[in-house]
Amino acid sequence: MRKTLVAILTGLFVLMGSGFAVAQQAQPETYKFDMGVGLGMSGYLGEANESNLFAHPGVGLNASFRYLLNTRWAFRGLLTAASLSGSTAGMTNVLPGEAVYDFKSWVYDLGARAEFNFFNYGIGERYKRLSRVSPYLSLGLGVVMSSVGGETFVAMGIPMGFGVKFKAKPRVNLGLEFTMTKVFGDNLDGRELADLYLIKSSFLKNTDWYATLMFSVSYEFGKRCVTCHRID
């Protein structure tokens, strides 16, 4: 009888240990960071293009680093480069002397953004109602540098973005994002195009914006501690 009881208890402990090990293995891994790159198109609004944002499309590139606070919030550092161009030819507003101005430039933007996911973004962990797809909003602050005609101009910018994320694999994310950046300066398109209508611009009163539409891919790393009593 004693031997039978010992055998039963031993079997129960083995089953419990195996179940615990399986549960530990089945628990999905989560990560604190991701890094990624993006590629797409860029556009400009200002004195040389007042309506059609992508009338003169350019190329946009970026590199990003995210801190994944939780399934809803992330903080992102971003370095963006975009080619911009525009022309006053064909505009309804006729400039003095029917002059035509155009420009080509590169813009470099270094900034930080906060991102909010509409859904709990992730994979696995059904009790959290995670979704592999989520739209999101982003808002941030950055420093914008433009290079036009051999001159360099620097100003602050506020990027406002909307996008969609898709978790292709547990550590691989795909994204599509449209970002509109308000530049607090009037030299994004060069000094010649500043104050064309003799209206003096200022920190708040100016017309320069630029936008990007980017496809991105990112990879997560920095495994979270799943046995801790808090999320780190």
Side-chain angles (χ1 to χ4, degrees):
M1 181 68 179
R2 183 178 298 176
K3 291 182 179 180
T4 302
L5 182 60
V6 170
I8 292 173
L9 291 175
T10 303
L12 287 174
F13 279 119
V14 169
L15 287 174
M16 289 174 63
S18 300
F20 180 76
V22 170
Q24 287 293 95
Q25 292 174 1
Q27 185 172 4
E29 295 177 340
T30 58
Y31 300 87
K32 294 184 286 187
F33 311 106
D34 85 5
M35 294 186 68
V37 293
L39 175 65
M41 61 188 300
S42 59
Y44 147 87
L45 284 179
E47 284 87 355
N49 181 28
E50 296 179 333
S51 57
N52 187 350
L53 181 60
F54 292 108
H56 303 275
V59 176
L61 308 163
N62 68 30
S64 69
F65 175 86
R66 279 190 184 93
Y67 171 61
L68 308 172
L69 182 63
N70 52 44
T71 59
R72 287 294 184 105
W73 287 96
F75 297 99
R76 187 181 185 192
L78 202 66
L79 175 62
T80 303
S83 62
L84 305 180
S85 62
S87 176
T88 60
M91 289 175 53
T92 55
N93 291 335
V94 178
L95 300 177
E98 298 185 357
V100 174
Y101 295 91
D102 54 33
F103 81 98
K104 292 183 178 180
S105 72
W106 274 92
V107 170
Y108 305 94
D109 190 331
L110 178 63
R113 305 178 191 178
E115 294 181 351
F116 174 73
N117 300 320
F118 284 28
F119 308 135
N120 288 316
Y121 182 64
I123 192 169
E125 296 181 293
R126 292 183 179 179
Y127 73 96
K128 290 185 179 180
R129 297 182 180 179
L130 298 182
S131 173
R132 295 181 69 167
V133 180
S134 179
Y136 67 94
L137 296 174
S138 68
L139 180 66
L141 186 66
V143 177
V144 180
M145 182 179 72
S146 62
S147 177
V148 189
E151 292 187 275
T152 299
F153 305 95
V154 179
M156 291 179 59
I158 295 182
M160 297 163 277
F162 172 78
V164 178
K165 300 174 181 177
F166 171 65
K167 189 167 282 294
K169 292 185 177 182
R171 300 176 70 174
V172 179
N173 306 281
L174 305 179
L176 182 66
E177 181 183 62
F178 173 77
T179 302
M180 196 79 179
T181 300
K182 171 61 179 174
V183 181
F184 290 100
D186 210 22
N187 291 311
L188 192 65
D189 42 20
R191 192 182 300 278
E192 285 187 348
L193 289 170
D195 308 324
L196 283 180
Y197 306 107
L198 303 181
I199 301 174
K200 187 65 178 177
S201 63
S202 64
F203 178 76
L204 294 175
K205 187 178 181 180
N206 52 71
T207 59
D208 289 352
W209 296 71
Y210 86 91
T212 57
L213 179 62
M214 306 276 254
F215 172 79
S216 65
V217 58
S218 65
Y219 183 77
E220 296 180 5
F221 64 99
K223 189 185 302 183
R224 292 187 186 278
C225 176
V226 298
T227 60
C228 297
H229 297 292
R230 62 181 179 84
I231 296 176
D232 61 356

